Amino acid sequence: MIILGSTGSVGRQALEVAQFFNLPIEALSAGRNVELLNAQIATHKPKKIAILDEKDYPHLKAPTGTEVFIGAEGIAQMVVSSKSELVLNALVGFGGLEPSLCAVRAGKTLALANKESLVVGGWLLKDAQILPIDSEHFALHSLLKNTPKECIDALFLTASGGALRDTPLEQIAHQSLSEVLKHPNWQMGIDITINSASMINKLFEVLEAYWLFGGLKVEACIERSSCVHALVRFKDQSWHAQLSQPDMRLPIIHALSPKNALNAPMKPLDLFNTSLNFEPIDLIRYPLWGFKNLLLQQPKLGVVLNASNEEALKAFKTGGISFGKMRTLVAQSLEHFKDNLPPLESLEQIKSLDLQVRNFVRNLS
């Protein structure tokens, strides 16, 4: 298999799964954590490696004969040139879209943890063979298996509420980065943890569900334990839910080695000591959630949503803006571009709008 983003949270867990089940790794890509990448190379012995920056090449410890690719173009070349039929895309951000498109065009199965691929280009991946790695979409995929669409009333994603779910409302806008990163349930990357606190990650997931499940009605609610990953309400008004430990390894195992899923080294959920409670998403606490219906009406606005959020994240992480300002920049961007979306029929057109949005946000901040 090919694992893109091997040094990130999902990539590391995917390699743990591969090692447990003795699954061969043909190719790895990583960002700037070359030290960890070198350790992964020594353990998994891939034939191909991709790194983001040429400056890191002298520090790379790849055995003789290992093929090395560099930069975004190099990742795409590595995907296309590999024999593996399965590509796990665990890259973070807009840069994950192009490798996803390359994998699909090459006829490979895409195990997808890169939310942005669907958020900014879901229409380009509409007929692709995708195995969702997000816990929510993996849960929906399981719940909807062999279920006719005409039986479904609505899909429900669940949200933990993030680190600020109990912070007094008047204090939210000025919370520090360290406070925003205190996720109550999961150990995740920095960006997704911040996105959880703003609820923007759930907007991403709504768009993912829109493209993955054919335009079914999508809702969301808060479930604090993160043990209920998704629910489906049927037209007879019955509910079906998927419950498991909050552990990303479960969807990873099903994507990488479904035949081994019954032997997965997973801790069972202690149902009798799990408190389940479902809450609506409060628009005062999470004002960006108010854009959900607009995004479902104009799903290509996902390009604006992602680009504005990525720029706002950069500024917040470096102390340039407050948490509250980050949410404001995303809202202003969506309002500005909602009536002026250009045709987005190709990757080049998506990249052009992405750049326009980033420039717009930089001028605002």
Side-chain angles (χ1 to χ4, degrees), residues 28-151:
L28 295 176
S29 86
R32 301 302 306 273
N33 192 344
V34 179
E35 183 177 354
L36 177 55
L37 177 60
N38 285 332
Q40 293 175 345
I41 292 170
T43 299
H44 298 279
K45 299 176 174 55
K47 297 175 182 177
K48 301 174 187 284
I49 298 293
I51 55 174
L52 200 57
D53 195 328
E54 190 172 7
K55 294 177 182 176
D56 292 322
Y57 181 75
H59 307 293
L60 191 65
K61 296 178 182 177
T64 303
T66 306
E67 205 170 349
V68 178
F69 300 82
I70 295 173
E73 289 185 5
I75 293 174
Q77 291 168 3
M78 184 180 77
V79 169
V80 172
S81 68
S82 296
K83 295 178 181 178
S84 297
E85 294 297 318
L86 180 68
V87 179
L88 191 156
N89 186 348
L91 297 169
V92 176
F94 181 83
L97 173 60
E98 191 164 1
S100 288
L101 292 173
C102 288
V104 170
R105 288 169 186 160
K108 300 179 188 298
T109 298
L110 182 61
L112 190 59
N114 174 254
K115 295 175 181 291
E116 293 80 7
S117 290
L118 289 168
V119 171
V120 307
W123 54 100
L124 301 181
L125 294 165
K126 203 169 182 182
D127 298 318
Q129 187 176 355
I130 296 176
L131 302 173
I133 299 292
D134 264 1
S135 62
E136 295 84 357
H137 303 91
F138 165 73
L140 287 173
H141 179 74
S142 300
L143 291 167
L144 294 174
K145 201 175 294 182
N146 303 318
T147 302
K149 284 186 179 180
E150 57 267 24
C151 298

Side-chain angles (χ1 to χ4, degrees), residues 292-306:
K292 179 194 66 106
N293 290 338
L294 173 65
L295 289 164
L296 287 174
Q297 291 161 9
Q298 299 186 64
K300 292 183 181 180
L301 272 173
V303 179
V304 178
L305 177 71
N306 180 71

